[in-house]
Amino acid sequence: MIKVVVVGGGWSGCAAALSAAKAGAQVLLFERTDLLLGTGLVGGIFRNNGRYTAAEEAIAMGGGDLFVAMDANSRHRGVSFPGHQHASFYDVATMEPLVKKILQNYGVEIKTKTRIVDVVKYGKKLQGLMLDGGEVVKADAFVDSTGTAGPMGNCLTYGNGCAMCIIRCPSFGPRVSVTAKADIKEIMGRKDDGSIGAMSGSCKLNKDSLSKELKDKLDSDGVVVLEIPESIRKSGVLGKKACTQYALAEYARNLILLDTGHAKMMTPFFPLEDLRTIPGLERARYEDPYAGGIGNSMRYLGIAPCDQTLKVDGVDNLFCAGEKSAVLVGHTEAVATGLLSGHNAVRYCLDMQYLTLPNTLATGDFIEFVQAKMQTEDGMRVRYTFSGSIYFERMKELALYSTSRSEVKDRVAQTGLTDVYNGCLV
Ligand SMILES: Cc1cc2nc3c(=O)[nH]c(=O)nc-3n(C[C@H](O)[C@H](O)[C@H](O)COP(=O)(O)OP(=O)(O)OC[C@H]3O[C@@H](n4cnc5c(N)ncnc54)[C@H](O)[C@@H]3O)c2cc1C
């Protein structure tokens, strides 16, 4: 039986493990912390703007299990908030066990609290990976889905220091990139001003620390918009954000709270003493990152060079997914690339032609467009997403954006890729 090892259990790694298992491989998924989902443990927004189309494409291609689980576990659906339509918010507190169960049902072996620290490479091929205990695990193909968040040294150097985020570097050890360990030079994303990395764009407040009125409104509507008094508005924060789809003027003038289980606050950080001067937030307390008053995690500090099949340049049997594969942002984007990389890892093992998604699909066009943009200096200062910024504009211009399930299904059928992720290749 062919064996695929996936490193990193965020949304992209979970999707890669799923598609590789569906394609018939024996799959082993390593995650350094005690939980899957990575930064998805504190996210929650999906199906907003063009992410709706991308989710439907994945479903039509037979890789929809994770979106179906998010849908089933949503606290709110069809929510509008500034710049965003028809968003759903999955419950961040209860999502992880559901995803774990799905992967286990497909036979994926999940090893949490296991960190990959090195690779065994021969020529242009990876032979195995070294775990932090020194054991070497061999496989036929590998997926690097280790993300780009942290570790602490990067947050200290490029951000405001460790803000104690969900990545939990001090507890589980720093993120280690398989690609970097394979001696491949990684690419770094940049902020608007050209400085390195980008700061995660939201923090979460404990809902019980809000006033009863705010909490009730958040529970019923899913969204609350609070005007920030001019004296405590933060200038320059928007340009630092990882999520350029929220870098709109409304987000500088207002605090936008979304109900993902926590009160997700759409700003990278906000000094606690200022926050508590806003009516309804007098008792506010951060839930993620714990020091959300001073900063947030830094990301995009280690991206693998790869092509549209998501094979890493310079290594024959290494694929990449999610933030590791491009300056992209989002759970949907992570799942869409994860599905392709896990599937292509199996095709590598079977000596089959790799799957490239055509640009008549939003996902195919997205991967091609972002890869091209990343060749330019300016292109590295943008984070790409189906949900906003320049890529959503392009989706609309090219008529790739659709919220019609049947239309997306037909489009996928026209490419001949219906259920492509469901078929066993072995
Ligand atoms: C605070 C915050 C809020 C966000 N909110 C949203 C949102 O609402 N909606 C949205 O669409 N997107 C959101 N995002 C962005 C989104 O979460 C990410 O873009 C996407 O989920 C990235 O997934 P990934 O799998 O590529 O990486 P990650 O989520 O970073 O996962 C990488 C995983 O790899 C593991 N790992 C790293 N190194 C190793 C190793 N050597 N061995 C084993 N395991 C390793 C890590 O522990 C981690 O679990 C948010 C991000 C943050 C930080």
Side-chain angles (χ1 to χ4, degrees):
M1 195 173 190
I2 60 169
K3 184 170 173 185
V4 172
V5 165
V6 178
V7 187
W11 276 118
S12 68
C14 291
L18 177 75
S19 64
K22 283 187 166 199
Q26 178 195 350
V27 182
L28 191 51
L29 169 61
F30 288 112
E31 165 54 45
R32 54 179 264 290
T33 72
D34 52 359
L35 292 165
L36 297 179
L37 296 193
T39 55
L41 286 164
V42 287
I45 309 171
F46 71 111
R47 288 199 177 269
N48 46 329
N49 295 347
R51 285 178 177 158
Y52 193 101
T53 314
E56 289 302 325
E57 285 183 356
I59 291 170
M61 286 191 278
D65 310 57
L66 300 178
F67 290 114
V68 171
M70 290 185 213
D71 283 333
N73 197 37
S74 285
R75 294 178 70 85
H76 301 272
R77 296 182 183 83
V79 181
S80 297
F81 58 97
H84 295 259
Q85 302 296 321
H86 49 74
S88 292
F89 306 147
Y90 67 71
D91 190 326
V92 294
T94 53
M95 198 65 235
E96 194 264 354
L98 296 179
V99 173
K100 197 170 203 177
K101 192 96 207 130
I102 291 170
L103 296 186
Q104 284 167 338
N105 285 346
Y106 278 102
V108 174
E109 192 183 344
I110 300 168
K111 299 252 188 218
T112 52
K113 292 197 276 183
T114 313
R115 194 164 61 108
I116 300 304
V117 293
D118 212 344
V119 303
V120 181
K121 192 177 165 201
Y122 186 74
K124 287 175 81 181
K125 255 181 90 170
L126 286 190
Q127 304 209 304
L129 301 174
M130 188 185 286
L131 315 189
D132 40 13
E135 186 193 337
V136 171
V137 174
K138 296 194 167 182
D140 303 299
F142 303 84
V143 176
D144 184 351
S145 46
T146 52
T148 63
M152 280 167 73
N154 283 337
C155 296
L156 286 165
T157 310
Y158 303 111
N160 296 356
C162 174
M164 290 189 268
C165 77
I166 194 67
I167 293 293
R168 296 171 289 165
C169 305
S171 314
F172 295 104
R175 167 178 65 81
V176 173
S177 162
V178 175
T179 303
K181 287 289 173 189
D183 284 336
I184 302 300
K185 191 172 181 332
E186 294 186 310
I187 308 162
M188 284 180 152
R190 289 178 183 271
K191 296 190 249 328
D192 275 359
D193 63 5
S195 58
I196 288 168
M199 191 176 274
S200 294
S202 70
C203 31
K204 287 98 224 148
L205 301 176
N206 183 309
K207 266 169 67 178
D208 288 329
S209 72
L210 311 182
S211 70
K212 182 173 180 323
E213 195 192 10
L214 276 191
K215 181 173 182 286
D216 288 350
K217 189 161 166 46
L218 204 52
D219 281 338
S220 68
D221 300 354
V223 54
V224 168
V225 179
L226 297 172
E227 193 179 350
I228 306 172
E230 210 156 343
S231 57
I232 57 167
R233 276 184 203 162
K234 310 294 163 215
S235 60
V237 171
L238 294 181
K240 292 183 185 156
K241 283 177 78 124
C243 323
T244 38
Q245 70 273 28
Y246 306 121
L248 307 170
E250 286 100 316
Y251 290 78
R253 281 198 305 270
N254 301 296
L255 275 184
I256 294 164
L257 304 182
L258 307 175
D259 177 24
T260 58
H262 302 311
K264 182 179 173 92
M265 189 163 80
M266 304 302 284
T267 186
F269 64 96
F270 207 98
L272 189 64
E273 56 281 13
D274 289 346
L275 193 67
R276 286 183 168 183
T277 64
I278 298 174
L281 299 180
E282 294 85 352
R283 298 178 305 143
R285 183 181 156 164
Y286 282 99
E287 200 64 32
D288 168 78
Y290 271 119
I294 61 154
N296 212 321
S297 51
M298 294 302 292
R299 313 219 305 276
Y300 305 102
L301 293 150
I303 298 160
C306 65
D307 60 23
Q308 282 176 54
T309 67
L310 303 184
K311 191 190 85 61
V312 174
D313 296 347
V315 188
D316 291 343
N317 58 345
L318 179 61
F319 296 79
C320 60
E323 289 187 7
K324 193 82 220 168
S325 66
V327 262
L328 56 74
V329 60
H331 312 326
T332 306
E333 292 76 358
V335 171
T337 51
L339 290 169
L340 182 63
S341 68
H343 184 84
N344 274 338
V346 176
R347 285 185 178 236
Y348 164 82
C349 301
L350 299 173
D351 215 7
M352 286 172 73
Q353 190 180 357
Y354 294 137
L355 177 65
T356 306
L357 300 178
N359 59 10
T360 49
L361 298 181
T363 311
D365 184 65
F366 177 77
I367 293 172
E368 184 184 312
F369 178 77
V370 178
Q371 293 281 340
K373 282 281 177 194
M374 283 176 58
Q375 304 305 315
T376 66
E377 208 177 294
D378 280 354
M380 289 304 295
R381 296 183 184 197
V382 180
R383 267 72 60 201
Y384 301 88
T385 162
F386 298 109
S387 71
S389 185
I390 62 172
Y391 189 71
F392 183 45
E393 289 310 312
R394 177 179 166 88
M395 265 181 103
K396 288 188 280 191
E397 275 162 29
L398 298 179
L400 287 169
Y401 169 51
S402 171
T403 54
S404 159
R405 194 161 284 179
S406 58
E407 187 185 335
V408 176
K409 209 171 158 192
D410 287 349
R411 262 188 223 164
V412 171
Q414 276 164 26
T415 65
L417 294 177
T418 300
D419 272 338
V420 65
Y421 293 133
N422 255 339
C424 183
L425 302 175
V426 177

